[in-house]
């Protein structure tokens, strides 16, 4: 499998390149970055700024870049027939729509979190929500490094949306932090709290709080290989998948078969 990597100079780009290098069935064919980022002198795959010029070298494009670059990569992949693994978070509605439109022409795996541990956390949360009384409050606390651009994290939003759906709460039940005289907590609310600092790679805790007791489900990514292994599985899946918009759940189910 031939891979072209967009955002190759970033934290995730470097981690993905390292993991791909250890996979015998994968070759990193090209690396794409912004012109402002200098090419490393590492003898690695060719480095450039224009995905369009490189896309034909890859069966799969993997991107961890920016919301605009994610949407642009999806359009290029749709035009050229390359599959896409997309991991950038914080996309706006039009960028999300761009990916969905591209998925009508090519196969795209999109996940706010490629860690298999977070997949297990999401499944454990669904089970826990079914096991505790519906009156228990749900709160999410996430921690990330000081350079993270979006808040709350895409993973925290996904956990909150899935919990809200399970509880039958409206989308407006998600509450981003609290400040001032907010009054007592309504029942149908899911609070999300984003900490930023240091070098935290990714930490998500879901608290289910009842009267006199509480339960916490927590996942901690210690380094970015936690995501890169899921990216590799997604790339293998998407390389042969028909056009469509796929989640990591579908990648994991296919791997289990
Ligand atoms: P980063 O800032 O370290 O790296 C992003 C890289 O993309 C930078 O090197 C930047 O120059 C490059 N880039 C930006 N625009 C580009 C363009 N138009 N063309 C080519 N390159 C471009 O950030 P990061 O920590 O690597 O995270 C990147 C994204 O991935 C963020 O949105 C982050 O939230 C997300 N992320 C997702 C997962 C996941 O599992 N889905 C895990 C970690 C991070």
């Amino acid at each position: 499998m031939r891979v072209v990597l967009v955002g190759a100079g970033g934290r995730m780009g470097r981690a993905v390149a390292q993991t791909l290098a250890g996979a015998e069935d994968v070759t990193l064919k090209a690396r794409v970055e912004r012109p402002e980022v200098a090419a490393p002198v590492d003898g690695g795959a060719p480095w450039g700024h224009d995905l369009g010029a490189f896309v034909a070298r890859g069966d799969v494009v993997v991107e961890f870049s920016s919301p605009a670059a994610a949407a642009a990569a999806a359009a290029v992949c749709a035009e050229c027939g390359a599959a896409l693994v997309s991991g950038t978070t914080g996309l706006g509605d039009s960028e999300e729509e761009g990916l969905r439109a591209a998925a009508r022409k090519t196969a795209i795996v999109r996940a706010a979190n490629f860690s298999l541990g977070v997949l297990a956390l999401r499944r454990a949360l669904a089970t826990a929500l079914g096991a505790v009384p519906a009156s228990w409050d749900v709160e999410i606390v996430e921690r990330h490094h000081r350079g993270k651009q979006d808040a709350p994290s895409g993973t925290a939003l996904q956990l909150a949306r899935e919990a809200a759906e399970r509880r039958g709460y409206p989308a407006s039940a998600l509450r981003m932090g609290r400040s001032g005289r907010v009054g007592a907590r309504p029942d149908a609310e899911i609070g999300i709290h984003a900490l930023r600092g240091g070098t935290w790679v990714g930490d998500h805790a879901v608290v289910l709080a009842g009267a006199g007791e509480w339960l916490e489900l927590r996942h901690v990514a210690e380094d970015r290989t936690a995501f890169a292994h899921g990216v590799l599985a997604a790339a293998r899946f998407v390389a042969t998948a028909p056009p469509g918009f796929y989640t990591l759940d579908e990648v994991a189910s296919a791997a289990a078969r």
Side-chain angles (χ1 to χ4, degrees), residues 6-7 9-12 32-34 37 64-66 69 87-89 111-114 148 150 227:
V6 179
R11 284 171 283 251
M12 275 305 296
V32 181
E33 251 300 342
R34 290 183 302 131
V37 179
F64 285 85
S65 50
S66 70
T88 299
T89 58
N113 196 308
F114 277 95
K148 185 165 174 61
D150 52 319
F227 311 117

Side-chain angles (χ1 to χ4, degrees), residues 113 115-118 121 202-205 217-222 226-227:
N113 196 308
S115 140
L116 299 176
V118 163
L121 170 67
D203 180 333
H204 293 89
L217 303 173
R218 184 174 179 189
H219 175 268
V220 178
E222 292 180 342
F227 311 117

Side-chain angles (χ1 to χ4, degrees), residues 5-14 32-37 47-51 63-70 72 86-91 110-115 144-145 147-150 153-155 201 224 226-228 231:
L5 185 56
V6 179
R11 284 171 283 251
M12 275 305 296
R14 293 192 304 270
V32 181
E33 251 300 342
R34 290 183 302 131
E36 294 84 344
V37 179
W47 180 278
H49 313 306
D50 179 11
L51 175 61
E63 75 76 23
F64 285 85
S65 50
S66 70
S86 172
T88 299
T89 58
L91 272 63
R110 171 134 185 83
N113 196 308
F114 277 95
S115 140
H144 283 86
H145 57 88
K148 185 165 174 61
Q149 300 289 310
D150 52 319
S153 69
T155 306
V201 170
R224 290 177 178 81
F227 311 117
V231 171

Side-chain angles (χ1 to χ4, degrees), residues 21-178:
E24 283 179 2
D25 58 329
V26 180
T27 312
L28 182 58
K29 285 297 210 185
R31 299 179 287 180
V32 181
E33 251 300 342
R34 290 183 302 131
E36 294 84 344
V37 179
V41 189
D42 59 4
W47 180 278
H49 313 306
D50 179 11
L51 175 61
F54 281 139
V55 67
R57 299 185 189 205
D59 307 306
V60 179
V61 172
V62 174
E63 75 76 23
F64 285 85
S65 50
S66 70
V76 171
C77 287
E79 200 179 310
C80 303
L84 176 66
V85 176
S86 172
T88 299
T89 58
L91 272 63
D93 290 345
S94 67
E95 291 144 349
E96 288 282 0
E97 180 44 41
L99 262 81
R100 299 230 171 229
R104 290 196 275 275
K105 293 188 178 158
T106 194
I108 297 181
V109 175
R110 171 134 185 83
N113 196 308
F114 277 95
S115 140
L116 299 176
V118 163
L119 186 61
L121 170 67
R122 289 172 42 223
R123 290 173 175 172
L125 176 59
T127 303
L129 283 170
V132 302
S135 59
W136 283 33
D137 299 319
V138 183
E139 295 278 315
I140 296 173
V141 183
E142 57 101 331
R143 302 162 205 240
H144 283 86
H145 57 88
R146 67 200 314 283
K148 185 165 174 61
Q149 300 289 310
D150 52 319
S153 69
T155 306
L157 285 171
Q158 183 175 28
L159 289 163
R161 285 179 185 136
E162 288 173 356
E165 194 177 329
R166 203 171 171 88
R167 282 274 176 92
Y169 296 169
S172 57
L174 273 55
R175 175 122 193 181
M176 313 303 167
R178 293 189 187 84

